[in-house]
Amino acid sequence: MATEHNFGKGNFGLFLLGFVLYMTDIGTDLWVAAVYYIDGHPAWALLVLLVILISAVILQSFSWCWYEDDEKNPDLGNSGCAGGRWCRRVLHIFQMGVLLRYIKALDYGYRAAFKTEDTHRKAIYAVTDLSMLRLFEAFLETAPQLVLQ
């Protein structure tokens, strides 16, 4: 028996909080690297930056592959870029693909939560993809940084 899930205002609020925490995480990662460098530990700063860069490249690769896979499903809509596939590829190369996903999910979530459009399914898929990317980030970036610190 299948159940229908709706993306409500509470879900939207928690997702918005998750977006704020994601942006804060990026800021604190760069702050830690800067503190190491300023304190005269350039090797530690470089290690932190390498962990950030390697995990970002892997996350962007997964994100881009999932966008390519989503094109095969007509229920999931457009790519989130006016330029389509080319625009999405450039954003992922410049490490902005996950941010694009957040913006797209916030758009779908807002429309679903405040009933301007029936985008519940799209919002749930977008949030699920971002949750998986954040889980990957936890193992690829956060765990090694804890060992370094």
Side-chain angles (χ1 to χ4, degrees):
M1 180 163 99
T3 59
E4 184 66 30
H5 297 285
N6 286 328
F7 194 86
K9 293 176 183 174
N11 297 100
F12 180 75
L14 288 174
F15 182 68
L16 189 60
L17 177 66
F19 175 68
V20 170
L21 291 174
Y22 173 73
M23 297 305 288
T24 304
D25 180 47
I26 291 172
T28 56
D29 290 344
L30 295 174
W31 177 69
V32 165
V35 167
Y36 276 138
Y37 187 76
I38 290 169
D39 287 347
H41 303 288
W44 289 105
L46 182 63
L47 280 173
V48 169
L49 290 174
L50 281 174
V51 167
I52 293 169
L53 183 64
I54 290 169
S55 77
V57 167
I58 293 170
L59 290 178
Q60 297 299 326
S61 300
F62 272 104
S63 177
W64 186 70
C65 289
W66 289 347
Y67 266 127
E68 294 295 310
D69 193 44
D70 287 348
E71 282 187 353
K72 299 172 189 167
N73 188 347
D75 293 338
L76 298 180
N78 64 5
S79 67
C81 279
R85 196 176 222 181
W86 180 84
C87 171
R88 191 175 56 231
R89 187 174 297 142
V90 169
L91 286 173
H92 279 85
I93 288 170
F94 288 108
Q95 305 298 307
M96 300 295 288
V98 175
L99 186 60
L100 172 68
R101 281 189 176 276
Y102 266 106
I103 292 169
K104 185 177 170 184
L106 284 169
D107 177 44
Y108 288 151
Y110 180 82
R111 287 190 275 161
F114 295 99
K115 307 293 186 221
T116 59
E117 234 177 280
D118 186 22
T119 57
H120 294 283
R121 184 179 173 126
K122 291 179 183 179
I124 290 170
Y125 274 112
V127 170
T128 302
D129 284 349
L130 282 165
S131 297
M132 286 300 297
L133 288 172
R134 293 288 288 172
L135 179 66
F136 291 165
E137 182 189 24
F139 287 104
L140 293 170
E141 180 184 318
T142 308
Q145 281 185 9
L146 286 173
V147 171
L148 287 174
Q149 295 171 12

